[in-house]
């Protein structure tokens, strides 16, 4: 046999999708793991033709699950962002959309047993240390994907996945404002650098000569904007204490503009070398927190909610995403928790194969 078979469940989680593995079914060392994930997803070619990736950053994401040894958590979730056209894997960030599929995938894999009509699973994001409580529908103790909840960017309706994120402040950099400032000017662009669930550099669309209402494909075609944004992002990453981020997907970049469809704020989110077709769950928490924080770059773009918890409706390239933010203002603005509703669906299961020259298996 010239290939190694690795069991997996293929899931859509929120507006992303990818393989979900048991961590124990993969190599322990990250160098070998990187090679296995590149081979499995076909990274290094635009269509991922020699793997199960989907030719887009939102379809080359990987979740690796295990029973947690943490006293608080039930399941450990280790995330990997696999590149599309480059043979690269980034283990630094986490992904809230893929996290939407962790609870049902854990049940599918036999890592957790359903408990009654609704099952609560406590998840630890290994990459960042974030803690998330997921509540999924298990009527009669059986997992279901059927329901009437719809999310922008996904056709149809499915069972809701309720996510409550705790301890999201400073998850990557250790600070709510990694530069120590509400605003920084980087290469002539005013930014708010913030770390809530995902470290981000956030700017006003108008400062790049944009409206903030552009379609994702129109932004992707604007290479002059991307070149300028990337230069700003790299310097912002250095100022945030993240070192050289030229080959890292973090910090992510976001643009803000006044809402035009009844929401709180219009946003565009970058992954960072391509426009997100919808909105990342982690990025939504950071941008919602930025919207609620006085003194950031969003000042003057919105009527800021002042009571907690606050519902922040972010208008993105494909619709809206609602974030419920619990915060306090007694000693400055502090985020306590953020909640969102997503959906997930099992698409396939079985084995994915990689050449034995890459890995012979455990």
């Amino acid at each position: 046999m010239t290939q190694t078979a690795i069991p997996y469940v293929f899931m859509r989680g929120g507006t992303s999708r990818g393989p979900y593995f048991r961590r124990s079914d993969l190599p322990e060392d990250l160098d070998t793991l990187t090679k296995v994930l590149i081979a499995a997803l076909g990274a290094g070619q635009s269509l991922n033709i020699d793997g199960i990736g989907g030719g887009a950053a939102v379809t080359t994401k990987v979740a690796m699950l295990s029973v947690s040894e943490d006293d608080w958590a039930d399941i450990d979730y280790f995330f990997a962002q696999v590149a599309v056209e480059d043979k690269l894997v980034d283990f630094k960030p986490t992904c809230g959309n893929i996290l939407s599929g962790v609870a049902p995938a854990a049940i599918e894999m036999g890592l957790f047993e359903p408990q009654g009509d609704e099952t609560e699973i406590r998840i630890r994001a290994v990459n960042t240390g974030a803690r998330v409580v997921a509540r999924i529908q298990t009527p009669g103790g059986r997992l279901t994907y059927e329901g009437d909840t719809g999310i922008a960017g996904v056709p149809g309706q499915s069972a809701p996945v309720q996510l409550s994120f705790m301890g999201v402040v400073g998850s990557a950099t250790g600070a709510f404002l990694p530069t120590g400032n509400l605003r920084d000017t980087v290469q002539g662009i005013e930014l708010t650098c913030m770390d809530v669930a995902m470290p981000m550099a956030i700017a006003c669309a108008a400062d790049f000569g944009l409206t903030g209402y552009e379609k994702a494909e129109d932004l992707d075609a604007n290479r002059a904007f991307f070149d300028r944004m990337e230069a700003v992002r790299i310097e912002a990453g250095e100022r945030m204490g993240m070192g050289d981020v030229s080959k890292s997907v973090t910090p992510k970049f976001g643009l803000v503009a006044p809402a035009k469809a009844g929401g709180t704020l219009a946003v565009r989110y970058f992954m960072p070398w391509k426009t997100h077709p919808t909105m990342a769950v982690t990025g939504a928490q950071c941008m919602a927190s930025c919207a609620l924080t006085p003194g950031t770059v969003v000042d003057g773009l919105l009527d800021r909610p002042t009571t907690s918890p606050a519902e922040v409706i972010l208008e993105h390239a494909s619709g809206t995403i609602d974030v419920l933010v619990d915060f306090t203002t007694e000693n400055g603005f502090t985020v306590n928790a953020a909640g969102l509703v997503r959906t997930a669906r099992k698409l396939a299961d079985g084995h994915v194969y990689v050449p034995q020259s890459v890995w012979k298996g455990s």
Side-chain angles (χ1 to χ4, degrees):
M1 187 175 181
T2 60
Q3 297 200 87
T4 301
I6 307 170
Y8 78 114
V9 177
F10 200 55
M11 300 278 297
R12 174 185 63 78
T15 55
S16 297
R17 76 161 194 249
Y20 289 62
F21 298 103
R22 291 185 186 87
R23 183 67 182 92
S24 58
D25 289 333
L26 294 165
E28 289 187 11
D29 70 283
L30 292 188
D31 287 343
T32 307
L33 177 61
T34 294
K35 294 174 183 177
V36 167
L37 297 183
I38 287 171
L41 275 80
Q45 195 266 350
S46 61
L47 297 177
N48 303 139
I49 201 70
D50 200 36
I52 61 172
V58 294
T59 57
T60 54
K61 296 173 181 280
V62 176
M64 295 161 279
L65 312 184
S66 56
V67 175
S68 182
E69 295 181 359
D70 184 270
D71 291 340
W72 177 86
D74 301 307
I75 297 293
D76 277 354
Y77 157 54
F78 184 37
F79 172 73
Q81 176 67 68
V82 181
V84 177
E85 297 188 17
D86 298 311
K87 292 186 176 183
L88 297 172
V89 179
D90 196 345
F91 297 106
K92 290 181 182 177
T94 189
C95 175
N97 274 303
I98 287 293
L99 192 149
S100 307
V102 167
I107 292 176
E108 295 279 4
M109 294 177 180
L111 299 176
F112 198 88
E113 291 294 324
Q115 299 172 348
D117 292 337
E118 184 177 85
T119 296
E120 178 179 292
I121 300 181
R122 294 169 297 177
I123 301 165
R124 181 175 74 100
V126 173
N127 309 67
T128 64
R131 294 180 172 186
V132 183
V133 177
R135 294 178 180 86
I136 58 174
Q137 303 305 301
T138 52
R142 296 178 63 87
L143 178 63
T144 183
Y145 298 104
E146 298 293 328
D148 56 7
T149 298
I151 61 173
V154 178
Q157 288 78 41
S158 303
V161 177
Q162 296 175 305
L163 300 175
S164 297
F165 292 78
M166 278 82 73
V168 292
V169 173
S171 58
T173 66
F176 177 55
L177 299 169
T179 68
N181 306 315
L182 284 164
R183 300 189 189 206
D184 294 276
T185 300
V186 176
Q187 300 186 21
I189 298 293
E190 198 168 44
L191 302 174
T192 290
C193 297
M194 186 171 283
D195 183 2
V196 178
M198 177 66 69
M200 288 191 67
I202 301 168
C204 292
D207 288 348
F208 283 94
L210 300 170
T211 65
Y213 312 130
E214 288 84 0
K215 294 180 180 179
E217 55 266 30
D218 293 336
L219 288 168
D220 286 341
N222 190 342
R223 301 321 300 175
F225 158 67
F226 265 83
D227 289 345
R228 189 178 184 201
M229 177 185 68
E230 180 64 359
V232 172
R233 188 188 76 89
I234 289 172
E235 184 173 334
E238 292 177 355
R239 293 197 191 187
M240 295 167 74
M242 300 179 71
D244 180 5
V245 300
S246 58
K247 293 184 178 180
S248 175
V249 298
T250 56
K252 298 293 175 67
F253 206 91
L255 295 178
V256 293
K260 69 170 187 176
T264 308
L265 193 68
V267 301
R268 292 296 182 268
Y269 183 77
F270 303 90
M271 299 185 287
W273 304 300
K274 194 169 184 179
T275 312
H276 200 293
T278 56
M279 185 68 211
V281 168
T282 47
Q285 295 170 68
C286 192
M287 297 190 85
S289 299
C290 185
L292 293 171
T293 306
T296 64
V297 293
V298 305
D299 280 4
L301 301 182
L302 78 167
D303 291 325
R304 180 175 284 118
T306 57
T307 58
S308 177
E311 181 183 35
V312 178
I313 302 173
L314 301 176
E315 300 174 1
H316 56 70
S318 298
T320 62
I321 185 170
D322 294 9
V323 187
L324 191 66
V325 182
D326 181 283
F327 64 93
T328 56
T329 56
E330 294 176 1
N331 297 303
F333 186 87
T334 302
V335 177
N336 300 320
L340 301 94
V341 175
R342 300 271 85 189
T343 65
R345 189 168 77 87
K346 178 182 177 181
L347 305 177
D349 63 18
H351 293 82
V352 62
Y353 293 84
V354 299
Q356 286 199 351
S357 58
V358 173
W359 185 51
K360 293 184 179 180
S362 55

